[in-house]
Amino acid sequence: MHSPDLEQLIKPLSQHGTRSEGDLLAPGSSWNLSQTVQHCAQTIRYSVTGYPVLKPGLYRATVGRLAKQVFLRRGAMKHPLGAEIEGAPPLDPDLPVSDAAAGLAEAVALFSGHTGAHATHPAYGDCTHDEFAQLHAMHLAEHLPGLAKN
């Protein structure tokens, strides 16, 4: 399967000033736009640097692996929109969106340039670069469906 171009997916964030927060965020979002973008940046960055806390190995090998396979097969994911990454620093509700977007762009660049093995995902276990690219794109689409509206 073709890996999505994460740089292209996040481009509309640079045009945030012309679009309302509600146009970008998923309905029922638990966080503001900045927090949501920070959360997406965290998970992309951690796929290279390592997630702070992993679920037990048995979970990753069973429930998590099955969820990953279902999401990849469907091409979409569904998860609680307010679920923070366990062990990650708190999301700053007052961080300017432009700063959060810059952090996301840095995380995407780090991920896109990464050629080694990726860190183990806390729920899904080991993922290839292409699987992570697809999962990150689905994660962005779920949290920020307005990115796809150009």
Side-chain angles (χ1 to χ4, degrees), residues 68 111 118 126-135:
K68 175 178 83 170
F111 174 82
H118 283 278
D126 293 333
C127 299
T128 67
H129 184 83
D130 286 345
E131 287 173 336
F132 259 129
Q134 293 169 48
L135 291 164

Side-chain angles (χ1 to χ4, degrees), residues 101-139:
L104 178 58
E106 289 171 10
V108 167
L110 176 68
F111 174 82
S112 296
H114 186 69
T115 58
H118 283 278
T120 300
H121 187 276
Y124 308 144
D126 293 333
C127 299
T128 67
H129 184 83
D130 286 345
E131 287 173 336
F132 259 129
Q134 293 169 48
L135 291 164
H136 290 323
M138 288 184 255
H139 189 238

Side-chain angles (χ1 to χ4, degrees), residues 19-50:
R19 301 172 69 191
S20 77
E21 193 164 304
D23 286 344
L24 292 167
L25 287 171
S29 289
S30 301
W31 302 314
N32 68 28
L33 181 58
S34 176
Q35 290 169 296
T36 301
V37 172
Q38 291 170 60
H39 168 75
C40 292
Q42 285 177 335
T43 195
I44 292 171
R45 186 174 298 107
Y46 288 148
S47 70
V48 175
T49 64

Side-chain angles (χ1 to χ4, degrees), residues 8 14 48 58 66 73 77 83-84 95 115 117 121:
Q8 288 299 316
S14 64
V48 175
L58 182 60
L66 178 62
R73 195 172 312 118
M77 72 170 49
E84 294 185 34
L95 183 72
T115 58
H121 187 276

